[in-house]
Amino acid sequence: MRFNVNCIRTVFIFTAIMLFASMFNVAATSAKTIGYYNLNSPTSTAAATSITTAGHTPLLLSGLATSDLAGVDVVWILNPDNNGYATEFSDNLAAVSDYVQGGGVLMFHDRRVTEAATVIPGAGAVTFVRDPNASIELGPGATGTLLSGPGGIVDADSLDGLGSSTHGYAVASTLPAGSTIVLTRTDSNEVVDFYYSLGGGNVYYSTIPLDAFLGVPNVQAYAANLAAFIFELVGANAAPLQFQHIAMADTLRSDIDLAYRTLRAGAAGMFVNLDSTGAERGRSAKARSFRSWDTALTMGYSHEVSADIMAGAAFSYHQAGNRSKHDSSLKGEYESYGITAFGRFALPAVAGQQWWLDLVGNYSLLEDVELERGVISGETDGCQYGIDARIGTVWALGAVSLYPQIGVEHIQTRVGSYKEKGVGALKYGVLETDATYGLLSLEARTSLLKQELVDIDTSLLVEYRKRLGQSTGRVKTTLADTPSSSVPMELYDYDSDLAKAELKLAVQYRTVTMEMRGGYAFGNSDLEGLGGSLSLHVPL
């Protein structure tokens, strides 16, 4: 069949597609709130300058009770007392612990050190030793913004020679499981700065007497960089991996969904499909929520082998990416080159009802997979594949046709470790993730207008995917180097039980079809949001 569409009209339509999708792609930008409190000088505002330099909003806390901590992204406490801890802190240990367990972040700079195990949430088993010393070295967790950030450059010599650069140390072997060591003394077993996850939040502890040195330029650089660096640690350790890999699975699913739309239409021949999709995932209150987009070009061919068999293949190119809704500097981008094979096979009729088996398989190469936060980034390549099998039929109910399907889907993504690019570059990486789903779907379709040249159809699709199993390879980041058994629920919270309700409007003029789709995703607490797309399907 001849390609019968005006080039200018095609460009205009595709531009409209891009504008439509852009509604979903605007990244949120907002400063975070860091509440600070000097235990012996509660009116001191010395820490505010470092927070402002980091681009965040300082808030002088009036106390440390539960009501004081509500709504604060990070609580930064400075203890300037060599002999103990102020009553305001010791009387509110439960409130501070609940704040962290509930998802908050505590930063604590401590002069006392000796009794820290009795007051720092989650540090009860840590051995703390008070021993003033003038030398500080960089540990394995000293990366990214901490070394090169809004305050300037921090290196192994920046914090040395202050008389008492540290007031002691924590013994490395006694740190909480999963802790990351940021700074040490000359002996690497003597830890100056470290952090760890606790419940839904995080704790960052330091033996640097920061209150005394906020007027020293090198220490100011450290403090400002830390106020920025702390937000690289907020939430799940695997958060950047999370939204990157979930979006990759969405890209592969779009190829599978297009194959099913082609089979459902039952039209043989060559086709070109332009598709642009935007989606918003996660509750706005979740630091892990993100926006994703995907612009795809697909060329394929479907062939009616016989009255009982239709088969085809398609090649696709995707340019896709993500933006964190809560960290405007955190983004991911990638390209995907995929090949999809699909087929429909008629099954024996049951009680006079015709059934069919649909099979779709996709293999995609992932190229230039990038993660970026501010001026630092990481890059890798990878691949993924998906296999989808469904049994379905059609029920005609007057003007409405129902298309029920039941099936199973398996998706596997393999990505190498992100390569270092520049000083403090991201080193996030996951070697392998895969998951299997059971699937139920029901689509109701009806015709709104049917004329000689123009057809307008609408449909409502309700789809549910139940995750049946998953496995991961070893996950390693600069923030966590732990076996994957501790990560899957964080890595897959978005992708456990997937459900959506999607409304589609299809307008066909001669042989060219334009579809506009929009819907709502729902499921577990971390999978909520709107999504939409436009596609142009042109038979050749």
Side-chain angles (χ1 to χ4, degrees), residues 437-456:
Y437 303 86
L439 181 143
L440 290 171
S441 72
L442 178 64
E443 183 177 18
R445 299 172 61 186
T446 188
S447 177
L448 300 179
L449 177 67
K450 193 171 186 65
Q451 294 185 349
E452 183 179 352
L453 298 178
V454 178
D455 290 341
I456 301 179

Side-chain angles (χ1 to χ4, degrees), residues 23-97:
M23 294 187 296
F24 299 93
N25 300 338
V26 180
T29 58
S30 60
K32 302 297 182 182
T33 300
I34 299 181
Y36 63 97
Y37 192 87
N38 185 309
L39 291 182
N40 282 17
S41 302
T43 60
S44 172
T45 60
T49 300
S50 300
I51 298 170
T52 303
T53 301
H56 297 298
T57 303
L59 174 65
L60 178 62
L61 298 176
S62 57
L64 297 175
T66 299
S67 58
D68 298 315
L69 308 182
V72 180
D73 296 304
V74 171
V75 171
W76 194 359
I77 298 176
L78 287 76
N79 178 33
D81 192 341
N82 292 313
N83 299 308
Y85 301 97
T87 303
E88 178 63 25
F89 181 52
S90 58
D91 286 351
N92 286 291
L93 296 181
V96 174
S97 179

Side-chain angles (χ1 to χ4, degrees), residues 252-253 256 360-362 384-389 407-413 432-438 465 469-471:
L252 187 147
R253 284 195 183 101
I256 291 175
V360 179
N362 175 278
Q384 61 182 352
Y385 71 83
I387 301 172
D388 195 296
V408 63
E409 176 184 85
H410 180 79
I411 291 180
Q412 183 175 82
T413 303
E432 181 175 315
T433 65
D434 64 83
T436 301
Y437 303 86
R465 285 178 169 91
Q470 69 173 54
S471 64

Side-chain angles (χ1 to χ4, degrees), residues 26 32 65 105 114 142 151 173 176 254-255 257 290 307 400 417 465 484 508 524:
V26 180
K32 302 297 182 182
V105 180
T114 302
S173 61
S254 71
D255 285 348
D257 288 345
F290 64 93
V400 178
S417 297
R465 285 178 169 91
S484 61
Q508 181 175 339
N524 59 59

Side-chain angles (χ1 to χ4, degrees), residues 509-520:
Y509 176 73
R510 295 184 183 272
T511 60
V512 177
T513 302
M514 178 186 291
E515 292 183 350
M516 180 176 180
R517 300 183 301 278
Y520 183 72

